[in-house]
Amino acid sequence: RKEVEQDPGPFNVPEGATVAFNCTYSNSASQSFFWYRQDCRKEPKLLMSVYSSGNEDGRFTAQLNRASQYISLLIRDSKLSDSATYLCVVSGSNDYKLSFGAGTTVTVRA
Amino acid sequence: NAGVTQTPKFQVLKTGQSMTLQCAQDMNHEYMSWYRQDPGMGLRLIHYSVGAGITDQGEVPNGYNVSRSTTEDFPLRLLSAAPSQTSVYFCASRETGLGNTIYFGEGSWLTVV
């Protein structure tokens, strides 16, 4: 079983729509959780960290469900510029070793 | 701000050749790492280092060597390139401590023919 699993998508949504997707992780001892964004042929960049209480950054909301071992990302009022691949990143019990999901591709259309 | 700098950006190698991917960071981060990214797969950890003189293996270390003689530099050596090592390689660094952001270099596209 992969340590981190994501629905690869793609999620094709119109501008202004809301899109949400999850990521499941296998290590119950994981301590740190992140969503990274990766544009085509570019390096991943931090979108947001995910905190136990859930957190919001503008149009983006992240949630953590430790009991079911998943994190989620919700994008409201989608913009064309939100088109990207979103990577779920989870630490192991050793915070030095991060596990990456294969990514969820979101395409926002005009 | 330079951040994490890796070179070369593109490289074509013949099977059996060796080469070194260079990585440098100017953020004084103790932790540095190398990942490879293949289609349909997440980034996979090759090697990592928690400080100068300290390195350890990640998930897919075979065929690669690293060293960390300074805080700034963390080169990745391919000993005898194989077509299976065709991939995109990312160097990354972060501050040690729980939950700190990881910063990536722009990537190196390597093709082994």
Side-chain angles (χ1 to χ4, degrees):
Chain A
R1 182 186 172 186
K2 291 182 180 179
E3 292 192 37
V4 179
E5 297 204 56
Q6 296 184 245
D7 182 343
F11 288 79
N12 293 307
V13 299
E15 272 188 294
T18 296
V19 59
F21 41 88
N22 293 340
C23 159
T24 58
Y25 61 94
S26 60
N27 187 346
S28 60
S30 296
Q31 301 182 69
S32 301
F33 308 88
F34 310 89
W35 283 105
Y36 273 71
R37 171 193 170 125
Q38 186 174 27
D39 295 298
C40 187
R41 298 179 72 80
K42 298 286 189 180
E43 74 275 23
K45 292 184 178 178
L46 178 68
L47 178 67
M48 58 197 302
S49 300
V50 185
Y51 303 119
S52 296
S53 55
N55 48 299
E56 196 173 295
D57 183 1
R59 298 180 293 105
F60 298 84
T61 300
Q63 297 281 351
L64 167 63
N65 185 317
R66 284 192 182 272
S68 300
Q69 294 184 207
Y70 73 88
I71 65 173
S72 64
L73 182 67
L74 182 146
I75 307 173
R76 284 186 301 278
D77 189 22
S78 298
K79 311 293 185 189
L80 294 175
S81 58
D82 294 334
S83 297
T85 297
Y86 293 85
L87 306 179
C88 173
V89 184
V90 178
S91 75
S93 49
N94 174 346
D95 196 49
Y96 294 131
K97 291 189 177 181
L98 299 175
S99 295
F100 287 76
T104 296
T105 299
V106 174
T107 301
V108 182
R109 63 182 188 274
Chain B
N1 294 335
V4 180
T5 303
Q6 56 178 112
T7 57
K9 193 167 180 70
F10 300 99
Q11 183 72 49
V12 178
L13 284 179
K14 293 182 179 179
T15 297
Q17 286 185 317
S18 62
M19 78 157 296
T20 298
L21 299 177
Q22 301 291 345
C23 178
Q25 52 92 10
D26 62 0
M27 296 174 281
N28 202 34
H29 288 166
E30 291 295 325
Y31 178 82
M32 295 185 74
S33 53
W34 277 101
Y35 294 86
R36 61 178 288 172
Q37 186 175 33
D38 300 293
M41 304 184 74
L43 277 76
R44 292 183 292 169
L45 182 64
I46 303 171
H47 285 284
Y48 68 101
S49 169
V50 298
I54 306 168
T55 63
D56 205 350
Q57 295 182 351
E59 181 185 356
V60 288
N62 292 340
Y64 307 94
N65 272 355
V66 292
S67 60
R68 185 92 181 271
S69 56
T70 67
T71 298
E72 294 78 20
D73 300 300
F74 190 46
L76 178 72
R77 280 181 286 278
L78 280 70
L79 308 172
S80 176
S84 60
Q85 294 179 303
T86 294
S87 189
V88 183
Y89 292 85
F90 289 101
C91 179
S93 76
R94 68 191 290 216
E95 290 182 7
T96 51
L98 196 62
N100 285 315
T101 302
I102 188 165
Y103 297 91
F104 289 91
E106 293 185 337
S108 296
W109 273 254
L110 176 67
T111 301
V112 183
V113 297

